[in-house]
Amino acid sequence: MTGLLEFDEVDFMNEANAEHHVTDMYNNANLVLRRADTFELVVHFKNRAFDESRDLVYLEFGIGVSPAALSGTKQKLEIGKTTDEDVWSCELLENKKENKSVYLSVNIPSDAIIGKYNVVCEITKKAGGKHKQRHTLPKIAVIFNPFSKSDDVYMENEEDRHEYVLNDHGVIFAGSWNRIGKIQWTFGQFDEGILDVVFKMFTRDNRYKANPVKSLKRRNSPVYVARVLSAMSNMNDDNGVVAGNWSGNYSDGKSPTDWNGSVKILKQWMKLKRGVNYGQCWVFSGVLTTVLRAVGIPARPVTNFNSAHDREYNMSIDKFYYANGTEANISSGDSIWNFHVWNDCWMKRPDLPTGYDGWQSVDSTPQEPSEKVFQCGPAPVKAIKNGEINIGSDTDFLFGEVNADVTNFLVDDSDKIVKRLKVDSRHVGRNISTKAPGSNRRLDITDQYKYKEGTTEERAAFEKAKLRGRLPPWHKHIKVQPEGDINIDIMMKTAKTITGTPIEFTVLVENATGSTMDCIVITRLESMFYNGQLKSGIKKVETKRSLNGKERYLFVMSASFAEYGFVLTHDRAVRCSVSVRNTKNDNLYMDSRTTVLKHPKCVKLTVPQTLNKGQFDIRYHITNPFPSTLSICKLNIDGSGFSGEAVDQEVKIENPIPSGGSVSGTITATAHRRGKKIIVANLESQEVKSIKAKAIMFVN
């Protein structure tokens, strides 16, 4: 009984530790633990009990390729009397000599590096300890801890933690500011392999490749982690997860509207080791939400309607028009998207002056490079609101997205700028939205991002932000057209326009002066991409009209499905543009309104209302309510906590579905995790895109 203590086995008490650390929902090969907390384990010995007077037992935790104590990437802990919450430490809770085992408690400090740790148990003697045993133990994964006050990502409200950390399904708002819709999205942050994908994203980042040790050491900061993940969620620069495509041609990949969640995207990236084709802003945001929540950072998708893309950072979106109201092919690079989705993540900001803790904006859609990398944020939402664009990362770009002015210019046939037509300070940044905790209700957070339009505070924030930018020369010494002589109001004739039915806009043109005007009124219907780019014209009507003083001219602009159906984009956005030119002085007045069509319900999913874990059937029933046949139909199904045919394979409908026809089928899936589960389906066809459906079930 005097020989070297011999290691037998270790029990990481996975079930108890996972429940204590609120990580029991992770489907991961390794135990997932949150920093700023302790976990317990049992070490069993073969030949005898542990003797404190002569045995030394160490637990070693190392992260990275070559962990070292000097760099802080290796921690060697001797079994001690107590744990110290400020450092890695190990406490002997109980020495059960009759069982030849020791019960230990390990403290993971609140500034621990996030990632996967190799664990080794080392045994030697106190006196003359030349001989030692080293035994490799199962790895552990360490993530942030929003449940602990000592962690920088601590979130006090329990309902908020459940929504922004633990919810693996949600909605992302889309459409237009006056026709807000929902995209069901499966985040799936707890699904098998997803946490390992996030850890792989860290090591494929160019910062890690350039200096692995420095990158590892910085991975204890949620600020750094959020910025890296914003870069790695897109494939630009570093072969990250999603390839962006706004061309309308997705023949060598999936259409962005075809995705229902993040899991398939992340697993495909891990398998193929290259960017996944294709995504747009809500896809980038959905993926970033998944990876942030996976490592324990509270996160939410945020949708900004009438979102500005200000490439010059001068807080002015410049648009140029010819006398007939068409947009000139003069690009300042600026644009206004019907909507744009980014993320907020919750954290303290010890790197900034006091007062900027809380929600931070990060954006993984590759729009503009930051420090020569397509990444954006984190920028404190409080700084964005106040125009403090020097606080945080990329705050100037994010301020422009929610609060830039829109300036319209008239150009002649040679593209020379003639005059400024209008400045609109209220168009950008409307109905900023996120999902409310605990429900699918839209939570309007506009007041968190900006002061009320037109107030002294809002203009003061704008002027402060504008100081950094430099307006281009055409803003200076330019003729300014008086505003308000002609008023244009464009309204939808019905509250919702269903795809397949006629589109109808009601237009009111008013001569606000007391004098008669001879006018040319041009009205256009156009099929649009959601990022403000024109796909195709649908219809144009030109009318010569003499308007008496104070006269109001009311008319309807409409198009049938036969006229618009074949040019409708995946985004289903249709714009009505109206221009009124006074033929006497060539003053031009313009306005536009975009609506997003709503698909009829034509996909139904039937699943068991309740079931035990295991295999079950999903029945789908597709009807075609449209005036034309649906061909080359494909059905994609997603859900968190499921596997099998239904979620692993695309369902191809063999035959076209005629107008008024239907098709049904059954596919199987396997439920792995308990609780309320949401299954989402997306139907794509050659004629009509992005038809969504969902079903809810409870797994016991």
CSV table of all heavy atoms in Angstrom, one decimal, residues 487-510:
chain,number,residue,atom,x,y,z
A,487,ASN,N,-48.4,67.7,-53.4
A,487,ASN,CA,-48.4,66.6,-52.4
A,487,ASN,C,-48.9,65.3,-53.0
A,487,ASN,O,-49.8,65.3,-53.8
A,487,ASN,CB,-49.4,66.9,-51.2
A,487,ASN,CG,-48.9,68.2,-50.4
A,487,ASN,OD1,-47.7,68.4,-50.3
A,487,ASN,ND2,-49.8,69.0,-50.0
A,488,ILE,N,-48.1,64.2,-52.7
A,488,ILE,CA,-48.5,62.9,-53.3
A,488,ILE,C,-48.7,62.0,-52.1
A,488,ILE,O,-47.9,61.9,-51.2
A,488,ILE,CB,-47.3,62.4,-54.2
A,488,ILE,CG1,-47.1,63.4,-55.3
A,488,ILE,CG2,-47.7,61.0,-54.8
A,488,ILE,CD1,-45.8,63.1,-56.1
A,489,ASP,N,-49.8,61.3,-52.2
A,489,ASP,CA,-50.1,60.2,-51.2
A,489,ASP,C,-50.5,58.9,-51.9
A,489,ASP,O,-51.4,58.9,-52.7
A,489,ASP,CB,-51.3,60.7,-50.3
A,489,ASP,CG,-51.4,59.9,-49.0
A,489,ASP,OD1,-50.5,59.0,-48.8
A,489,ASP,OD2,-52.5,60.0,-48.3
A,490,ILE,N,-49.7,57.9,-51.5
A,490,ILE,CA,-49.9,56.6,-52.2
A,490,ILE,C,-50.4,55.6,-51.1
A,490,ILE,O,-49.7,55.4,-50.0
A,490,ILE,CB,-48.6,56.0,-52.8
A,490,ILE,CG1,-48.1,57.1,-53.8
A,490,ILE,CG2,-48.9,54.7,-53.5
A,490,ILE,CD1,-46.7,56.7,-54.3
A,491,MET,N,-51.5,55.0,-51.3
A,491,MET,CA,-52.1,54.1,-50.3
A,491,MET,C,-52.4,52.7,-51.0
A,491,MET,O,-52.7,52.6,-52.2
A,491,MET,CB,-53.4,54.7,-49.7
A,491,MET,CG,-53.2,56.0,-49.1
A,491,MET,SD,-54.7,57.0,-49.0
A,491,MET,CE,-54.8,57.6,-50.7
A,492,MET,N,-52.4,51.7,-50.2
A,492,MET,CA,-52.9,50.4,-50.6
A,492,MET,C,-54.4,50.4,-50.6
A,492,MET,O,-55.0,50.8,-49.6
A,492,MET,CB,-52.4,49.2,-49.8
A,492,MET,CG,-50.9,49.0,-49.9
A,492,MET,SD,-50.4,48.6,-51.6
A,492,MET,CE,-51.3,47.1,-51.9
A,493,LYS,N,-55.1,49.9,-51.6
A,493,LYS,CA,-56.5,49.9,-51.7
A,493,LYS,C,-57.1,48.9,-50.7
A,493,LYS,O,-58.2,49.1,-50.1
A,493,LYS,CB,-57.0,49.5,-53.1
A,493,LYS,CG,-58.5,49.9,-53.3
A,493,LYS,CD,-58.9,49.7,-54.7
A,493,LYS,CE,-60.3,50.1,-54.9
A,493,LYS,NZ,-60.8,50.0,-56.3
A,494,THR,N,-56.3,47.8,-50.4
A,494,THR,CA,-56.8,46.8,-49.4
A,494,THR,C,-55.7,46.6,-48.4
A,494,THR,O,-54.5,46.9,-48.6
A,494,THR,CB,-57.1,45.4,-50.1
A,494,THR,OG1,-55.9,45.0,-50.8
A,494,THR,CG2,-58.2,45.5,-51.0
A,495,ALA,N,-56.1,46.1,-47.2
A,495,ALA,CA,-55.1,46.0,-46.1
A,495,ALA,C,-54.0,45.0,-46.4
A,495,ALA,O,-52.8,45.2,-46.1
A,495,ALA,CB,-55.8,45.5,-44.8
A,496,LYS,N,-54.3,43.9,-47.1
A,496,LYS,CA,-53.3,42.9,-47.5
A,496,LYS,C,-53.6,42.5,-49.0
A,496,LYS,O,-54.7,42.4,-49.4
A,496,LYS,CB,-53.4,41.7,-46.7
A,496,LYS,CG,-53.0,41.9,-45.2
A,496,LYS,CD,-53.2,40.6,-44.4
A,496,LYS,CE,-52.8,40.8,-43.0
A,496,LYS,NZ,-53.0,39.5,-42.2
A,497,THR,N,-52.5,42.3,-49.7
A,497,THR,CA,-52.6,41.8,-51.1
A,497,THR,C,-52.1,40.4,-51.1
A,497,THR,O,-50.9,40.1,-50.7
A,497,THR,CB,-51.8,42.7,-52.1
A,497,THR,OG1,-52.3,44.0,-52.0
A,497,THR,CG2,-51.9,42.1,-53.5
A,498,ILE,N,-52.9,39.5,-51.5
A,498,ILE,CA,-52.6,38.1,-51.5
A,498,ILE,C,-52.0,37.8,-52.9
A,498,ILE,O,-52.6,38.1,-53.9
A,498,ILE,CB,-53.8,37.2,-51.3
A,498,ILE,CG1,-54.5,37.6,-49.9
A,498,ILE,CG2,-53.5,35.7,-51.3
A,498,ILE,CD1,-53.6,37.4,-48.7
A,499,THR,N,-50.9,37.0,-52.9
A,499,THR,CA,-50.3,36.6,-54.2
A,499,THR,C,-51.3,35.9,-55.0
A,499,THR,O,-51.9,35.0,-54.6
A,499,THR,CB,-49.1,35.7,-53.9
A,499,THR,OG1,-48.2,36.3,-52.9
A,499,THR,CG2,-48.2,35.5,-55.2
A,500,GLY,N,-51.4,36.3,-56.3
A,500,GLY,CA,-52.4,35.7,-57.2
A,500,GLY,C,-53.6,36.6,-57.5
A,500,GLY,O,-54.3,36.4,-58.5
A,501,THR,N,-53.8,37.6,-56.6
A,501,THR,CA,-54.9,38.5,-56.8
A,501,THR,C,-54.3,39.8,-57.3
A,501,THR,O,-53.1,40.1,-57.3
A,501,THR,CB,-55.6,38.8,-55.4
A,501,THR,OG1,-54.7,39.4,-54.5
A,501,THR,CG2,-56.1,37.5,-54.8
A,502,PRO,N,-55.2,40.7,-57.9
A,502,PRO,CA,-54.7,42.0,-58.4
A,502,PRO,C,-54.0,42.9,-57.3
A,502,PRO,O,-54.5,42.9,-56.2
A,502,PRO,CB,-55.9,42.6,-59.0
A,502,PRO,CG,-56.9,41.5,-59.2
A,502,PRO,CD,-56.6,40.5,-58.1
A,503,ILE,N,-53.0,43.6,-57.7
A,503,ILE,CA,-52.4,44.6,-56.8
A,503,ILE,C,-53.0,45.9,-57.2
A,503,ILE,O,-53.1,46.3,-58.3
A,503,ILE,CB,-50.9,44.7,-57.1
A,503,ILE,CG1,-50.2,43.4,-56.9
A,503,ILE,CG2,-50.2,45.8,-56.2
A,503,ILE,CD1,-48.7,43.4,-57.3
A,504,GLU,N,-53.5,46.7,-56.1
A,504,GLU,CA,-54.1,47.9,-56.4
A,504,GLU,C,-53.6,49.0,-55.4
A,504,GLU,O,-53.7,48.8,-54.2
A,504,GLU,CB,-55.6,47.8,-56.2
A,504,GLU,CG,-56.3,46.9,-57.3
A,504,GLU,CD,-57.8,46.8,-57.1
A,504,GLU,OE1,-58.2,46.5,-56.0
A,504,GLU,OE2,-58.5,47.0,-58.1
A,505,PHE,N,-53.0,50.1,-56.0
A,505,PHE,CA,-52.6,51.2,-55.2
A,505,PHE,C,-53.6,52.4,-55.5
A,505,PHE,O,-54.0,52.6,-56.7
A,505,PHE,CB,-51.2,51.7,-55.6
A,505,PHE,CG,-50.1,50.8,-55.1
A,505,PHE,CD1,-49.7,49.7,-55.9
A,505,PHE,CD2,-49.5,51.0,-53.9
A,505,PHE,CE1,-48.7,48.9,-55.5
A,505,PHE,CE2,-48.5,50.1,-53.5
A,505,PHE,CZ,-48.1,49.1,-54.3
A,506,THR,N,-54.0,53.1,-54.5
A,506,THR,CA,-54.7,54.3,-54.7
A,506,THR,C,-53.8,55.5,-54.5
A,506,THR,O,-53.0,55.6,-53.6
A,506,THR,CB,-55.9,54.5,-53.6
A,506,THR,OG1,-56.7,53.3,-53.8
A,506,THR,CG2,-56.7,55.7,-53.8
A,507,VAL,N,-53.8,56.4,-55.5
A,507,VAL,CA,-52.9,57.5,-55.6
A,507,VAL,C,-53.6,58.9,-55.5
A,507,VAL,O,-54.6,59.0,-56.3
A,507,VAL,CB,-52.0,57.5,-56.9
A,507,VAL,CG1,-51.0,58.7,-56.9
A,507,VAL,CG2,-51.2,56.2,-56.9
A,508,LEU,N,-53.2,59.8,-54.6
A,508,LEU,CA,-53.8,61.1,-54.5
A,508,LEU,C,-52.7,62.1,-54.8
A,508,LEU,O,-51.7,62.2,-54.2
A,508,LEU,CB,-54.4,61.3,-53.2
A,508,LEU,CG,-54.9,62.7,-52.9
A,508,LEU,CD1,-56.1,63.0,-53.8
A,508,LEU,CD2,-55.3,62.9,-51.4
A,509,VAL,N,-52.9,62.9,-55.9
A,509,VAL,CA,-52.0,64.0,-56.2
A,509,VAL,C,-52.8,65.3,-56.0
A,509,VAL,O,-53.9,65.6,-56.5
A,509,VAL,CB,-51.6,64.0,-57.7
A,509,VAL,CG1,-50.7,65.2,-58.0
A,509,VAL,CG2,-50.8,62.7,-57.9
A,510,GLU,N,-52.2,66.2,-55.2
A,510,GLU,CA,-52.8,67.5,-54.8
A,510,GLU,C,-52.0,68.7,-55.1
A,510,GLU,O,-50.8,68.7,-54.9
A,510,GLU,CB,-53.1,67.5,-53.3
A,510,GLU,CG,-53.8,68.8,-52.8
A,510,GLU,CD,-53.9,68.8,-51.3
A,510,GLU,OE1,-53.0,68.2,-50.6
A,510,GLU,OE2,-54.7,69.6,-50.7
